[in-house]
């Protein structure tokens, strides 16, 4: 066991390395690290809703789309700077997520997964069909991030912006996990009935978890769009949402570190495979299945559900 | 006339969704898992036909037959290799496993067969008939006939055969069924095989009408919609839900715009889950502690 001072020292050392990173890293490495930072904001949302609260969502990419498109469209149509529109889009998306959570209160398990699937489908079709607003299948250029006259567009500037945002987001989530809400999410994953009888407002907790998850996705998606500089509806399909969930499972659903590991896998795997990129999806699926098969109880323990959800054989 | 044409187009489309829903509901009833990779299983069967026909020059009917047999085997492999061993794990693990199966098939097909669509031969030569101003294609007639035949066969199997009764019993109460001597494991295996055969048949009907590309499996979302409309537990409900969805979609495509077809279908899913989760023909589930 490491004591507190040791952890603190490691944390500070890590922060120093991250802060000094751009001084000695290649541009390619900076770009990849920036992507990992923004993706980990997106996946940390999943670690709240799926990892902690035990609800399956396939709509994470759709919430990213809300954040990315929301920020850019508000900026390009109304002329509001991006540093204002990104937080605004994040809050609005969190509210949309909250509403989706409220609407899905009565359903759980499969039905929730199906609702989020359909929601993701509608969002993607909406982007494709509202071509006047969103650019449709062609896409839409992202407005540059200008902060009081200083444009933050270089890889290094975006690196710092994304890193700081990701650290704040992850720090917030890790505090949330240990807060009253975090304990409520944890309880409702293990047994909804038990947590209800202990005074947890299950419905509200679920909706809040969804809202937070959506907000984080929007923030991550918007920051990511600053780096990609172009919005392509292909980035925000149902399949991307499934990929986010998959990397979280590979990274580890139960811990916040899983969000970072998952994000790293999501970003680095295409880069790492290089010429074998065509087989990436296949390798990815095999990896996912392998992890599930080898450690179903490990994973299961982390996301154990109450008896209603287990197969009848297991309960009787 | 408009309405007749909507019915003539909507019913065959709905029958296809109903077939997909049948497979999904079968697996769900038997094993309590919604198979998120079912659409990809359908796509895989269609690709097997193409590979056999184009690369190995096997006659079309034989290719179809082989595809059905291979699909059945594949279903057995999924059950024995993946979902069988996982049956005691939490639901979320099983859902992710089925998602992974779908991902593997889709990306595997994309890697080995390319992302571009393949032309799929029609089962019968395509002709268009005009009846009192309503246009009906042979493809649609085949879809409706085969779907009704399959639904009838399944109905008879579950109502009349001892084996069908055993499956229904095991779905109703696995514990009770095993007490009276039904092997629940064997029933689950049979259900996976049955659903996979259905997937192959659905593939033969759909592939000529839709575009055969690795993403054809997304049609399964329509299957989910149909299943939810029908209540998710009832087999006739799956077909009814499918036809209803086909009609809603075609009407939306006709009166609003074709672009809204899919959106209306997905919105129907969400509305149904929120306001009527028990579906049209399902029973309300009562959660016991």
């Amino acid at each position: 066991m490491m004591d507190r001072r040791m952890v603190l020292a490691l944390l500070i050392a890590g922060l120093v390395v991250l802060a000094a990173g751009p001084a000695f890293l290649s541009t390619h490495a900076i770009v990849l690290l920036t992507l990992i930072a923004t993706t980990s904001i997106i996946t940390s949302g999943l670690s709240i809703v799926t990892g902690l609260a035990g609800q399956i969502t396939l709509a994470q990419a759709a919430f990213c789309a809300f954040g990315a498109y929301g920020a850019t469209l508000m900026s390009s149509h109304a002329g509001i700077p991006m540093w204002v529109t990104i937080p605004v889009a994040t809050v609005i998306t969190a509210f949309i997520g909250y509403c989706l959570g409220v609407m899905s209160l009565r359903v759980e398990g499969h039905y929730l997964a199906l609702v989020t699937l359909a929601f993701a489908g509608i969002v993607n079709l909406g982007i494709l069909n509202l071509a006047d607003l969103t650019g449709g299948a062609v896409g839409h250029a992202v407005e540059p991030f200008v902060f009081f006259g200083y444009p933050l567009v270089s890889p290094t500037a975006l690196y710092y912006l994304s890193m700081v945002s990701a650290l704040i987001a992850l720090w917030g989530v890790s505090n949330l996990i240990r807060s009253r809400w975090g304990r409520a999410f944890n309880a409702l994953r293990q047994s909804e009935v038990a947590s209800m009888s202990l005074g947890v407002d299950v419905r509200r907790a679920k909706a809040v978890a969804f809202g937070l998850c959506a907000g984080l996705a929007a923030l991550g998606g918007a920051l990511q769009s600053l780096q990609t500089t172009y919005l392509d509806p292909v980035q925000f399909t149902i399949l991307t949402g499934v990929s986010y969930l998959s990397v979280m499972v590979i990274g580890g659903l139960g811990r916040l570190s899983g969000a970072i590991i998952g994000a790293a896998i999501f970003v680095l795997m295409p880069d790492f495979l290089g010429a074998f990129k065509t087989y990436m999806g296949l390798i990815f699926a095999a990896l996912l299945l392998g992890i599930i098969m080898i450690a179903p109880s490990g994973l299961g323990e982390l996301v154990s559900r109450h008896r209603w959800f287990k197969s009848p054989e297991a309960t009787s | 006339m408009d309405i007749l044409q909507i019915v003539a187009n909507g019913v065959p489309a709905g029958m296809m969704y109903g077939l997909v829903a049948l497979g999904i509901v079968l697996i769900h009833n038997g094993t309590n898992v919604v198979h998120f990779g079912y659409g990809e299983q359908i796509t895989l069967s269609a690709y097997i036909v193409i590979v056999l026909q184009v690369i190995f020059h096997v006659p079309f009917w034989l290719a179809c037959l082989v595809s059905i047999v291979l699909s059945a085997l594949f279903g057995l492999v999924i059950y024995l290799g993946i979902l069988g061993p996982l049956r005691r794990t939490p639901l979320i693990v099983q859902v992710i496993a089925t998602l992974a199966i779908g991902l593997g098939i889709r990306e595997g097909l994309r890697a080995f067969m390319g992302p571009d669509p393949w032309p799929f031969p029609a089962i019968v030569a395509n002709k268009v008939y005009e009846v009192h101003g309503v246009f009906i294609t042979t493809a649609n007639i085949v879809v409706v006939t085969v779907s009704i035949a399959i639904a009838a066969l399944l109905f008879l199997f579950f109502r009349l055969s001892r084996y069908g009764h055993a499956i229904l019993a095991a779905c109703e109460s696995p514990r009770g069924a095993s007490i009276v001597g039904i092997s629940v494991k064997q029933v689950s295996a049979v259900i996976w095989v049955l659903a996979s055969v259905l997937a192959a048949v659905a593939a033969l009907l759909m592939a000529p009408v839709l575009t055969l590309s690795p993403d054809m499996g997304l049609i399964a979302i329509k299957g989910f919609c149909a299943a939810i409309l029908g209540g998710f537990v009832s087999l006739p409900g799956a077909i009814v839900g499918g036809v209803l969805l086909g009609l809603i979609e075609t009407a939306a495509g006709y009166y609003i715009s074709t672009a809204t077809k899919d959106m209306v279908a997905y919105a129907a899913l969400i509305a149904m889950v929120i306001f009527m989760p028990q579906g049209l023909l399902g029973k309300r589930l009562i959660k016991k502690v």
Side-chain angles (χ1 to χ4, degrees):
Chain A
M1 284 296 260
M2 286 187 289
D3 61 17
R4 283 194 133 199
R5 263 185 297 175
M6 187 81 162
V7 175
L8 201 66
L10 276 175
L11 257 175
I12 292 172
L15 283 178
V16 169
V17 171
L18 281 180
F24 56 86
L25 288 171
S26 67
T27 315
H28 184 63
I30 293 174
V31 167
L32 287 179
L33 276 174
T34 314
L35 264 182
I36 293 176
T38 48
T39 311
S40 71
I41 301 179
I42 301 170
T43 45
S44 70
L46 281 177
S47 70
I48 296 176
V49 136
T50 311
L52 207 56
Q55 314 292 318
I56 303 168
T57 169
L58 302 172
Q60 199 68 351
F63 290 131
C64 291
F66 269 113
Y69 273 94
T72 279
L73 293 180
M74 270 192 274
S75 185
S76 66
H77 287 281
I80 308 166
M82 283 295 265
W83 64 270
V84 178
T85 55
I86 290 179
V88 170
T90 302
V91 172
I92 295 176
T93 312
F95 184 68
I96 296 172
Y98 181 83
C99 293
L100 189 73
V102 170
M103 288 200 301
S104 334
L105 286 175
R106 287 166 53 188
V107 297
E108 43 222 311
H110 291 131
Y111 284 100
L112 195 60
L114 289 169
V115 167
T116 55
L117 189 72
F119 178 75
I122 291 178
V123 170
N124 200 248
L125 287 169
I127 294 174
L128 286 174
N129 289 319
L130 295 172
D132 294 338
L133 187 67
T134 61
V138 182
H140 197 290
V142 176
E143 294 289 314
F145 192 91
V146 183
F147 194 73
F148 289 115
Y150 295 99
L152 298 180
V153 282
S154 73
T156 317
L158 287 176
Y159 170 87
Y160 282 118
L161 178 68
S162 306
M163 264 314 161
V164 170
S165 314
L167 286 174
I168 294 173
L170 290 172
W171 178 68
V173 174
S174 89
N175 274 344
L176 177 92
I177 290 173
R178 278 172 286 143
S179 75
R180 216 174 121 249
W181 281 111
R183 288 196 299 275
F185 297 157
N186 210 339
L188 90 93
R189 183 193 74 233
Q190 288 174 15
S191 166
E192 265 177 44
V193 179
S195 31
M196 220 184 293
S197 64
L198 288 172
V200 174
D201 189 342
V202 168
R203 307 188 148 195
R204 204 157 140 236
K206 260 195 217 173
V208 168
F210 251 94
L212 287 170
C213 172
L216 286 165
L219 179 64
L223 288 171
Q224 205 166 57
S225 73
L226 290 176
Q227 196 183 6
T228 52
T229 69
Y230 203 76
L231 297 171
D232 183 352
V234 177
Q235 299 165 320
F236 306 107
T237 57
I238 295 170
L239 303 179
T240 324
V242 174
S243 302
Y244 284 133
L245 186 63
S246 312
V247 289
M248 271 304 290
V249 175
I250 297 176
L253 263 179
R255 291 151 295 146
L256 191 55
S257 61
I260 303 168
I261 300 170
I265 296 170
F266 189 86
V267 175
L268 294 180
M269 207 148 100
D271 203 62
F272 182 69
L273 287 173
F276 294 100
K277 221 185 214 166
T278 356
Y279 300 100
M280 190 181 81
L282 199 58
I283 297 170
F284 197 67
L287 200 64
L288 191 58
L289 270 181
I291 285 175
I292 292 175
M293 296 308 293
I294 293 163
S297 59
L299 191 70
E301 197 191 273
L302 297 168
V303 288
S304 63
R305 310 293 300 268
H306 65 89
R307 49 179 282 172
W308 193 67
F309 275 115
K310 289 178 189 157
S311 65
E313 285 164 294
T315 54
S316 47
Chain B
M1 181 228 109
D2 292 345
I3 291 186
L4 285 178
Q5 187 64 55
I6 288 170
V7 171
N9 294 344
V11 169
M15 283 288 189
M16 287 198 288
Y17 302 150
L19 271 187
V20 182
L22 263 186
I24 292 167
V25 168
L26 253 183
I27 294 177
H28 176 254
N29 277 0
T31 57
N32 267 339
V33 177
V34 172
H35 184 11
F36 281 89
Y38 194 68
E40 278 70 24
Q41 250 187 289
I42 295 175
T43 320
L44 179 67
S45 307
Y47 268 99
I48 290 174
V49 175
I50 286 291
V51 168
L52 287 173
Q53 205 194 11
V54 175
I55 299 172
F56 296 103
H57 302 291
V58 176
F60 181 63
W61 63 270
L62 190 61
C64 294
L65 217 62
V66 173
S67 165
I68 291 175
V69 173
L70 284 180
S71 181
L73 279 176
F74 186 62
L76 198 62
V77 168
I78 292 180
Y79 174 69
L80 292 179
I82 299 169
L83 284 159
L86 287 180
R87 73 182 181 285
R88 279 169 205 280
T89 58
L91 177 84
I92 187 169
V93 175
Q94 302 188 34
V95 166
I96 292 168
T98 63
L99 281 169
I101 294 167
L103 186 72
I105 298 175
R106 188 174 55 242
E107 297 306 322
L109 287 175
R110 210 191 302 280
F112 291 107
M113 301 297 290
D116 301 320
W118 286 76
F120 195 91
I123 299 176
V124 286
N126 205 5
K127 269 189 233 153
V128 181
Y129 300 101
E130 196 190 334
V131 186
H132 298 295
V134 177
F135 297 99
I136 301 170
T137 63
T138 35
N140 281 351
I141 297 173
V142 170
V143 167
V144 173
T145 325
V146 174
S147 306
I148 291 176
I150 287 174
L153 271 178
L154 272 178
F155 185 78
L156 290 177
F157 172 70
F158 282 118
R159 274 297 147 89
L160 301 181
S161 78
R162 276 173 68 83
Y163 214 95
H165 286 231
I167 293 179
L168 287 182
C171 292
E172 187 110 336
S173 159
R175 194 190 198 180
S178 50
I179 287 172
V180 295
I182 296 167
S183 161
V184 177
K185 263 189 190 170
Q186 201 186 335
V187 164
S188 300
V190 169
I191 283 178
W192 271 96
V193 169
L194 212 59
S196 303
V197 168
L198 261 177
V201 176
L204 299 179
L205 292 177
M206 275 182 209
V209 187
L210 305 170
T211 348
L212 177 59
S213 74
D215 291 325
M216 190 178 89
L218 290 175
I219 190 78
I221 304 179
K222 298 288 177 60
F224 295 137
C225 296
I228 284 184
L229 280 174
F232 232 111
V233 283
S234 114
L235 293 178
I239 297 281
V240 172
V243 171
L244 195 65
L245 182 71
L247 289 174
I248 294 173
E249 229 192 58
T250 316
Y254 185 85
Y255 289 114
I256 312 170
S257 82
T258 31
T260 57
K261 269 175 84 170
D262 291 347
M263 274 206 237
V264 167
Y266 299 162
L269 185 156
I270 295 180
M272 204 64 194
V273 166
I274 290 169
F275 298 112
M276 233 181 133
Q278 72 277 20
L280 297 173
L281 294 183
K283 281 174 283 184
R284 183 178 277 277
L285 275 180
I286 294 158
K287 191 157 100 179
K288 282 183 232 156
V289 182

